[in-house]
Amino acid sequence: MGSPYHVSRCASHLLSCDEASFEFQAISLIAESLAHPQRALLSAFVQQAVDRELAARFFLDDVVGHNKATVAEFLVDWISLLRRVRPIVCENLDPSLRQSIWRRDEGRCCISKADDSKKGDENPLPIHIVSPTLFQDGDLVRNGRLDTMLAVYLGRSKLESLRSLLEKDPNFPGYDPSDQLMLLSSQMLAHFANGRLSLKADPVGATSNPARYFVKTNSFIPSIRVDVFPFIRLENRAVDTSSLPNPQLIEVHHRFALASAWLEVFDYMKQSCSSSCSSTSHEQTSLAGKAPAKESWVRRCIQPVYPILQRLWLRTPVLLRATAYKCLASLGQHIYGDTGSDRIHRLPFNLYLRKAHRDWAPRHQAELRSLQIVQKHTHIPAPKGIDAIQYRGSSYLLMTGLHGCGIGQRLSTMTDRQLEAAAQDLKDYLAELRRIPNNTGSQFCICNSLGGGILDWRIGDSQRKQLRFHDETEFNQFLTTDLPLDEDTCRQISKSHGVKHDIVFTHADLNLRNILVDEMGRISGIVDWECAGWYPEYWEHSKMHFTVRHTPRWIADVVDQIFPAYRNELNVENMLSGMMPSW
């Protein structure tokens, strides 16, 4: 989800290249010279090239004096090249060729397999995977500027092969232009042309009929969803008159897809910035001299009554509360649809309900307590816990909802300034969290908010057993029990486990879904506190890496800025979690 500004010592393995390498030097220079998303867009030239070191060296040699002006000029050329290699609709297609393509693909989109006989589907369009006139462009003459860039990016031999393919003589015996075309619906064409999806050949069946391809998606813009199967088969239904789409062209498109997706983000953010500036100027003009809007009198009247209503509701028999929760869950499913989890239900009145087997009741009670102490001791925007009950075979936890969406959905379109502000807010919230005193009265040092067993997705046994520990030493012993540890591994572990850490209150699941942001990129909430409890001080840091190892911008520009230390602990945790199944 982008190239980070803070490249040096980034903990992401995606930026773990040797600091003496050309690649690291190139990425560092790009980070110094460009803001997001231009930085991600240009970094793709280096990191998606066939030979990354060759591309990095070419870039470094080209940007004379390594100044920002020459880097910007290189970016302009790279964007120009990207726009030229995009797939295009085939206009004025020869009728016989059109018929051949339609027979080959059965008149259906090659990716969605939809045809115009289905309600709502569109007549698929014949598209050139790579523009057939690419090398007729004056800027792509042999050994010209863009030709050289393309040769470095694809490799000279692959470029010459591509040139031969696109420049075939139509009068040459056996000439078959059908392999340069595929049918796509207008929606899939938009996805395909903008790099939101691409096809990666299955090494086993890339040249057979049918040919199997894995579908790679780059879904970066929040308002755009890309719903596709994880793999597709391209099958030729007219072997006698046409050929399957050329795998070489599909490979070239795949090579450019990520950069094309970042180019779309660049255009989107530029347009959003212009629209935002215009609307802000208009709003300032129209509101000049007016007083701020007053809060709704209804809200002001009802708000003081909420605590009274809650106390009365909690005195209602459990049977009635459980029945009401089940009815509200059904109503919420009808109104709002699926939440993506069978354990979480969105309800009317800005409420959310967790529902699980009765064995989960202690977990719900612990999460309710976590929400209560967070509300009492911090200013963190967290849900307000309302009720946790067990009735018959089910357990229920009721809480309020929060405005915003997971930061992972907006990360790609957040500016550096917005991400920096989010990192600072998160740092302040975590500082408050770590000052919460342990008043559980439990003899256990590492435990949940009620003094009971922890729940942590990194520790599979925590879902089945009551795990709590008297001290950090006991916790460390558990983490390494029954693991195949050699002498060198034990030596590395001792660097981390030999350090005495403070035990602090920890969210323990701060992934990209659980940190909510508003439309402006400011943190509007932190949700999902079921794993919260007291852990060693490094645990929050290592868990923030647990599921986001493929998002270097988040790791380098947020996580590593909040927690500049704990590198030994992180390395050990990565090693131990790789040895132990988490489920």
Side-chain angles (χ1 to χ4, degrees):
M1 292 187 180
S3 183
Y5 172 71
H6 299 92
V7 174
S8 180
R9 297 191 73 245
C10 173
S12 171
H13 76 282
L14 297 178
L15 288 177
S16 59
C17 51
D18 182 2
E19 294 193 7
S21 67
F22 292 120
E23 180 184 351
F24 185 85
Q25 294 175 46
I27 298 301
S28 298
L29 177 57
I30 292 170
E32 295 170 5
S33 306
L34 299 173
H36 180 80
Q38 295 95 320
R39 183 171 61 244
L41 177 54
L42 186 51
S43 294
F45 174 80
V46 174
Q47 296 182 305
Q48 298 301 311
V50 171
D51 187 331
R52 294 161 68 150
E53 278 292 277
L54 177 64
R57 184 170 184 175
F58 172 80
F59 167 76
L60 292 170
D61 290 342
D62 191 80
V63 289
V64 181
H66 293 189
N67 61 61
K68 294 182 179 180
T70 53
V71 172
E73 290 170 1
F74 194 100
L75 174 62
V76 170
D77 290 335
W78 175 232
I79 290 175
S80 177
L81 182 58
L82 289 173
R83 296 195 191 281
R84 283 169 166 79
V85 297
R86 277 177 168 173
I88 61 171
V89 176
C90 180
E91 304 287 353
N92 302 319
L93 187 63
D94 180 80
S96 62
L97 180 56
R98 175 183 290 272
Q99 183 180 13
S100 177
I101 297 300
W102 246 254
R103 286 183 57 210
R104 182 193 70 187
D105 300 333
E106 293 188 322
R108 300 189 300 172
C109 172
C110 288
I111 297 176
S112 69
K113 304 301 180 183
D115 59 39
D116 60 346
S117 65
K118 297 181 180 180
K119 184 178 180 180
D121 291 329
E122 300 179 34
N123 193 27
L125 302 168
I127 66 110
H128 284 288
I129 304 169
V130 176
S131 172
T133 61
L134 176 65
F135 295 108
Q136 297 174 22
D137 191 315
D139 292 329
L140 275 158
V141 295
R142 289 183 185 275
N143 301 318
R145 168 68 172 167
L146 297 187
D147 176 76
T148 304
M149 288 183 68
L150 191 55
V152 170
Y153 188 70
L154 294 179
R156 176 55 73 177
S157 62
K158 289 188 176 181
L159 174 59
E160 292 304 323
S161 177
L162 176 64
R163 188 185 290 272
S164 298
L165 178 64
L166 297 180
E167 293 181 340
K168 279 183 180 178
D169 184 355
N171 298 317
F172 189 81
Y175 174 70
D176 179 14
S178 65
D179 68 345
Q180 300 183 27
L181 298 165
M182 62 193 306
L183 291 182
L184 294 180
S185 67
S186 58
Q187 182 184 49
M188 286 300 161
L189 172 58
H191 292 334
F192 198 70
N194 289 291
R196 300 173 203 157
L197 66 79
S198 62
L199 307 180
K200 183 174 176 59
D202 182 343
V204 177
T207 57
S208 60
N209 183 25
R212 176 181 165 117
Y213 288 88
F214 298 104
V215 181
K216 175 71 170 64
T217 60
N218 302 305
S219 186
F220 294 152
I221 297 178
S223 58
I224 298 176
R225 287 190 59 180
V226 181
D227 294 321
V228 289
F229 293 108
F231 66 88
I232 64 167
R233 288 185 174 89
L234 299 183
E235 186 170 2
N236 189 351
R237 303 284 186 175
V239 180
D240 55 329
T241 60
S242 64
S243 303
L244 281 173
N246 192 296
Q248 181 184 352
L249 297 177
I250 293 177
E251 180 187 357
V252 169
H253 173 267
H254 177 71
R255 180 71 61 181
F256 278 99
L258 182 62
S260 296
W262 283 121
L263 178 57
E264 184 183 31
V265 172
F266 170 68
D267 293 335
Y268 170 84
M269 291 180 67
K270 185 165 61 175
Q271 182 178 1
S272 298
C273 180
S274 300
S275 300
S276 176
C277 291
S278 299
S279 62
T280 300
S281 175
H282 175 73
E283 182 179 346
Q284 289 173 345
T285 302
S286 61
L287 295 180
K290 292 187 179 181
K294 293 183 178 181
E295 186 180 24
S296 167
W297 67 270
V298 176
R299 182 180 179 86
R300 287 190 287 113
C301 291
I302 293 179
Q303 193 166 9
V305 185
Y306 284 163
I308 300 174
L309 294 175
Q310 182 177 349
R311 284 195 294 270
L312 291 174
W313 177 248
L314 295 181
R315 293 181 180 180
T316 304
V318 171
L319 167 62
L320 295 179
R321 284 146 65 190
T323 302
Y325 296 155
K326 285 193 286 187
C327 291
L328 286 172
S330 298
L331 180 61
Q333 177 77 19
H334 178 73
I335 297 174
Y336 306 112
D338 193 4
T339 62
S341 171
D342 58 357
R343 296 194 299 122
I344 302 176
H345 303 270
R346 183 182 176 186
L347 312 183
F349 314 114
N350 191 34
L351 297 174
Y352 277 81
L353 179 73
R354 285 191 186 274
K355 180 183 177 183
H357 189 269
R358 63 183 179 182
D359 294 343
W360 210 257
R363 309 296 189 189
H364 286 167
Q365 292 289 344
E367 184 172 3
L368 176 63
R369 180 56 185 158
S370 294
L371 295 174
Q372 290 169 344
I373 64 177
V374 167
Q375 183 181 12
K376 177 181 178 181
H377 292 281
T378 75
H379 298 90
I380 297 173
K384 182 180 179 181
I386 298 176
D387 190 18
I389 61 171
Q390 176 189 341
Y391 182 72
R392 292 186 175 176
S394 300
S395 175
Y396 304 90
L397 170 62
L398 183 68
M399 69 192 87
T400 60
L402 295 173
H403 171 69
C405 66
I407 195 171
Q409 297 180 44
R410 296 195 181 275
L411 183 61
S412 298
T413 55
M414 290 176 67
T415 65
D416 289 331
R417 182 174 295 181
Q418 288 174 326
L419 196 60
E420 183 181 357
Q424 184 58 54
D425 286 346
L426 190 57
K427 184 175 183 179
D428 294 340
Y429 291 147
L430 292 181
E432 288 188 73
L433 201 66
R434 292 155 81 92
R435 290 195 293 266
I436 295 177
N438 186 342
N439 295 326
T440 62
S442 169
Q443 60 178 320
F444 296 96
C445 180
I446 297 173
C447 58
N448 68 21
S449 56
L450 290 172
I454 59 173
L455 171 66
D456 196 288
W457 309 119
R458 146 76 174 91
I459 304 172
D461 283 345
S462 69
Q463 302 166 60
R464 300 176 290 274
K465 300 177 182 179
Q466 178 85 341
L467 297 181
R468 47 186 180 173
F469 306 92
H470 292 92
D471 53 35
E472 186 179 4
T473 299
E474 187 177 317
F475 180 64
N476 290 338
Q477 289 173 348
F478 174 82
L479 293 179
T480 55
T481 300
D482 297 331
L483 294 181
L485 306 178
D486 56 31
E487 184 177 345
D488 182 60
T489 302
C490 289
R491 191 180 304 112
Q492 294 181 58
I493 292 173
S494 66
K495 293 180 181 179
S496 168
H497 289 184
V499 177
K500 182 176 176 59
H501 299 93
D502 291 336
I503 307 301
V504 296
F505 195 73
T506 303
H507 180 282
D509 196 16
L510 285 176
N511 59 55
L512 295 169
R513 297 185 306 274
N514 293 338
I515 301 170
L516 307 184
V517 293
D518 60 21
E519 294 80 2
M520 300 304 296
R522 298 304 298 265
I523 293 181
S524 59
I526 297 177
V527 300
D528 201 352
W529 293 80
E530 63 182 349
C531 296
W534 279 271
Y535 296 83
E537 60 184 280
Y538 70 85
W539 198 253
E540 196 84 87
H541 177 242
S542 62
K543 284 300 300 294
M544 288 182 77
H545 281 267
F546 189 57
T547 58
V548 293
R549 296 186 178 104
H550 294 278
T551 52
R553 189 177 181 223
W554 173 254
I555 290 175
D557 293 347
V558 178
V559 181
D560 290 349
Q561 301 311 304
I562 296 173
F563 298 107
Y566 309 133
R567 283 305 177 90
N568 286 334
E569 291 86 344
L570 175 63
N571 292 335
V572 168
E573 262 305 290
N574 285 341
M575 182 169 53
L576 294 179
S577 63
M579 296 179 181
M580 179 186 293
S582 58
W583 302 98

